[in-house]
Amino acid sequence: MWDLLIIQPLVNTMLLLYQLLGNNLTLTIIALTVLIRLITFPLTWQSQVSQKKMQQLQQSDEWKAIQRKYANNREALAQEQMKLWQREGINPFGGCLPLLIQLPILIGLYQAITIAIAASPAQLLSLSTNLYSFLPNVERLIPLDNRFLWMNLGLPDPYFVMPLLVVVTSWIQSKVMTPPATDAQAAQMSQTMMLTTTLMFGYFSLTFASGLSVYFVVSNILGILQYGLTNPIDWRKLLTLDLKPAVAAPATPEKSKDKPRKKK
């Protein structure tokens, strides 16, 4: 089922694009990245719109009033916030959906690149079993030209240039797309997520095929541009080395309006 739904479509799409783009594997990976971004665009767009609504809601007077009222009762605060999210039609976990969808695509793309390049007899055999019979003259494309500058796109970058680009573009995307946190704890969680994601993609680039790094870099750049369509980008945030997102001013608890009684 994995091969049928993920590997075979990606492998054959790569070979078709490779044929259309003059047997250039780098352009093929870039075109495939754009194609995947276009396919997942509706979900990503919806996630970013929901994130923008969430950010606007967190700056509203009603949200701050709830924070003040239930500042000393976390359970009641969470319940009231959830009611407000539901009323406004906001899914607080909507931002995770595009990442969950892209994860199998990343795994499948790595396998597809490895299979399509066919650097070993076993990979060549695997490639032959995953080809669509209706693709014209696809057997003449094999083996693919896997050279790009100093790199073999089927192997990790020996000079670590691509992993560095992946880390830098992932860091920029995280800095640009992370909204201000509502409190210090949320800011700490956002910082941990940003660092974990950046280091994870950097590790993938160090250990996996450099063709996957090309996908990461192009995807990060497209992600930043797509985010800029729905949200103003504060490029000044990139001038700071601190990964920690900004923290919105906390709401102070409401003071009791009852006047203290005088002792008799």
Side-chain angles (χ1 to χ4, degrees):
M1 187 64 67
W2 173 260
D3 290 346
L4 181 64
L5 297 179
I6 302 295
I7 301 300
Q8 290 181 9
L10 285 174
V11 167
N12 288 275
T13 301
M14 281 186 62
L15 292 176
L16 181 60
L17 291 173
Y18 181 79
Q19 189 174 23
L20 294 175
L21 295 172
N23 298 356
N24 189 311
L25 187 57
T26 304
L27 290 180
T28 298
I29 296 174
I30 293 175
L32 185 61
T33 307
V34 175
L35 182 60
I36 291 174
R37 275 285 178 177
L38 288 175
I39 293 174
T40 59
F41 177 79
L43 289 173
T44 308
W45 177 273
Q46 184 179 4
S47 173
Q48 291 179 353
V49 170
S50 178
Q51 185 180 28
K52 184 177 181 180
K53 289 174 63 178
M54 172 84 76
Q55 186 176 358
Q56 292 174 345
L57 180 62
Q58 291 173 345
Q59 301 300 323
S60 66
D61 294 336
E62 186 175 5
W63 179 273
K64 294 178 181 179
I66 291 175
Q67 283 189 309
R68 288 193 298 267
K69 184 176 181 180
Y70 299 101
N72 299 322
N73 189 338
R74 288 186 175 274
E75 183 177 353
L77 176 62
Q79 292 176 354
E80 292 298 321
Q81 289 176 343
M82 185 62 68
K83 290 178 182 179
L84 191 55
W85 285 330
Q86 292 176 350
R87 194 183 71 192
E88 297 295 331
I90 299 175
N91 182 5
F93 305 104
C96 302
L97 185 59
L99 182 60
L100 293 176
I101 292 176
Q102 290 188 52
L103 186 58
I105 294 177
L106 291 178
I107 299 173
L109 184 62
Y110 165 68
Q111 294 179 340
I113 291 174
T114 305
I115 292 172
I117 291 176
S120 67
Q123 293 168 354
L124 186 61
L125 177 62
S126 179
L127 175 60
S128 64
T129 60
N130 284 288
L131 294 178
Y132 292 153
S133 58
F134 57 83
L135 287 181
N137 302 321
V138 67
E139 66 279 355
R140 299 181 182 179
L141 302 176
I142 304 168
L144 305 184
D145 182 10
N146 56 13
R147 304 301 302 181
F148 175 61
L149 300 178
W150 66 89
M151 293 179 293
N152 180 341
L153 295 177
L155 299 174
D157 183 359
Y159 300 111
F160 310 118
V161 175
M162 291 306 297
L164 179 61
L165 290 177
V166 170
V167 169
V168 170
T169 54
S170 297
W171 174 77
I172 292 175
Q173 184 174 220
S174 297
K175 289 279 287 184
V176 166
M177 297 179 61
T178 302
T182 55
D183 52 51
Q185 183 178 4
Q188 184 64 38
M189 291 177 62
S190 298
Q191 182 185 26
T192 302
M193 180 66 71
M194 291 162 57
L195 289 173
T196 301
T197 304
T198 301
L199 294 177
M200 180 181 68
F201 286 130
Y203 174 76
F204 287 163
S205 302
L206 283 172
T207 55
F208 294 155
S210 55
L212 192 62
S213 298
V214 176
Y215 171 83
F216 286 149
V217 172
V218 177
S219 182
N220 289 338
I221 294 174
L222 291 177
I224 295 170
L225 295 177
Q226 180 179 331
Y227 180 82
L229 295 177
T230 57
N231 298 271
I233 297 178
D234 184 7
W235 296 105
R236 294 174 298 178
K237 293 173 63 176
L238 303 180
L239 300 178
T240 63
L241 296 178
D242 185 17
L243 276 174
K244 190 173 182 178
V247 180
T252 56
E254 288 184 332
K255 296 182 179 180
S256 176
K257 296 180 180 180
D258 297 335
K259 296 182 180 180
R261 297 179 178 178
K262 297 180 180 180
K263 294 183 179 180
K264 295 181 180 180

